[in-house]
Amino acid sequence: DAKTTQPNSMESNEEEPVHLPCNHSTISGTDYIHWYRQLPSQGPEYVIHGLTSNVNNRMASLAIAEDRKSSTLILHRATLRDAAVYYCILRVQYSGAGSYQLTFGKGTKLSVIP
Amino acid sequence: DTEVTQTPKHLVMGMTNKKSLKCEQHMGHRAMYWYKQKAKKPPELMFVYSYEKLSINESVPSRFSPECPNSSLLNLHLHALQPEDSALYLCASSQGAGDYNSPLHFGNGTRLTVT
């Protein structure tokens, strides 16, 4: 199974940019890179996803390395509401079932300092 | 608020009880998922339904029995659970299980305690 590696925790000051790294050296050509975050007492929330090109949306930016073995989630201005566990996930095809599943890794706990 | 609604929010049950968890979405999604999350751990996939048919069962014990009565509803029937089954049970949906480009939408979960 393609797996991801993230730092256990990171800290950021409020209103500063945050770069959350993720390594996925065993990624396959058809694996999409997804990011989700989970705030305390809530279910995971979709943040962004991409395949090869960098992606931007209203929540964040995703920078994908040229060899696709790593990616970085960028929060442009961290707020206290961004304090959460951030999961970098490869959405891979489940063998034989024609379904794609998300398998969560351990994630990075982001703390935002006022 | 999320677009995936799970009920109840909290459930306490004894090991001999039978209970059900419910999940509902009205986004027209055709894939629905059950995940289990223990404290301070990432969610673990349990079941995937695609077009109301079970497509993935991650070797879940038979005391957990999923059901998808229609494309909007997903149930998880619980029977003879053990205290170690206490966890947060998360439901999710996506446009299609075979569509790797569509994100999952999660509910806020049911926190289950087995006594």
Side-chain angles (χ1 to χ4, degrees):
Chain A
D1 287 348
K3 294 203 183 331
T4 61
T5 305
Q6 299 176 254
N8 289 334
S9 62
M10 291 183 65
E11 276 188 355
S12 173
N13 293 319
E14 196 177 8
E15 298 190 5
E16 297 212 344
V18 183
H19 291 235
L20 297 165
C22 180
N23 287 321
H24 28 78
S25 57
T26 59
I27 192 170
S28 299
T30 57
D31 295 342
Y32 272 75
I33 302 159
H34 284 240
W35 284 81
Y36 285 73
R37 71 179 186 181
Q38 189 171 20
L39 280 65
S41 303
Q42 293 189 21
E45 174 188 27
Y46 166 77
V47 177
I48 200 165
H49 76 283
L51 183 63
T52 55
S53 305
N54 295 344
V55 184
N56 299 297
N57 67 20
R58 64 174 179 81
M59 289 181 71
S61 296
L62 176 60
I64 301 173
E66 202 166 325
D67 63 5
R68 302 210 326 125
K69 294 184 185 301
S70 66
S71 61
T72 302
L73 179 71
I74 303 164
L75 306 179
H76 296 288
R77 287 180 73 230
T79 70
L80 297 178
R81 292 177 57 193
D82 291 323
V85 178
Y86 285 78
Y87 295 101
C88 168
I89 307 162
L90 299 183
R91 191 155 190 201
V92 301
Q93 184 171 17
Y94 194 87
S95 59
S99 294
Y100 288 82
Q101 60 159 318
L102 285 180
T103 301
F104 286 77
K106 296 181 180 178
T108 297
K109 184 175 181 179
L110 175 67
S111 302
V112 179
I113 303 166
Chain B
D1 288 347
T2 71
E3 295 166 301
V4 176
T5 304
Q6 292 188 244
T7 55
K9 287 185 169 49
H10 301 273
L11 178 63
V12 179
M13 62 184 289
M15 289 188 284
T16 59
N17 291 159
K18 286 184 181 180
K19 296 286 184 183
S20 296
L21 309 184
K22 296 186 186 304
C23 175
E24 191 168 0
Q25 58 87 15
H26 295 289
M27 294 178 282
H29 289 172
R30 304 313 301 266
M32 297 188 78
Y33 310 75
W34 280 115
Y35 281 81
K36 173 182 177 179
Q37 186 174 27
K38 302 282 279 185
K40 299 190 185 304
K41 298 290 187 183
E44 298 177 357
L45 182 66
M46 299 175 72
F47 303 103
V48 179
Y49 272 84
S50 178
Y51 291 87
E52 299 154 46
K53 292 187 178 169
L54 184 65
S55 65
I56 296 175
N57 176 342
E58 288 283 33
S59 303
V60 179
S62 60
R63 57 186 184 270
F64 295 91
S65 176
E67 179 196 20
C68 190
N70 60 58
S71 59
S72 299
L73 294 174
L74 185 66
N75 298 321
L76 186 63
H77 303 297
L78 314 172
H79 173 55
L81 294 193
Q82 304 296 311
E84 58 264 30
D85 296 321
S86 299
L88 181 68
Y89 288 84
L90 294 161
C91 173
S93 70
S94 68
Q95 285 191 345
D99 179 4
Y100 49 81
N101 202 18
S102 66
L104 269 64
H105 296 250
F106 284 84
N108 283 331
T110 293
R111 188 160 300 282
L112 174 68
T113 303
V114 182
T115 62

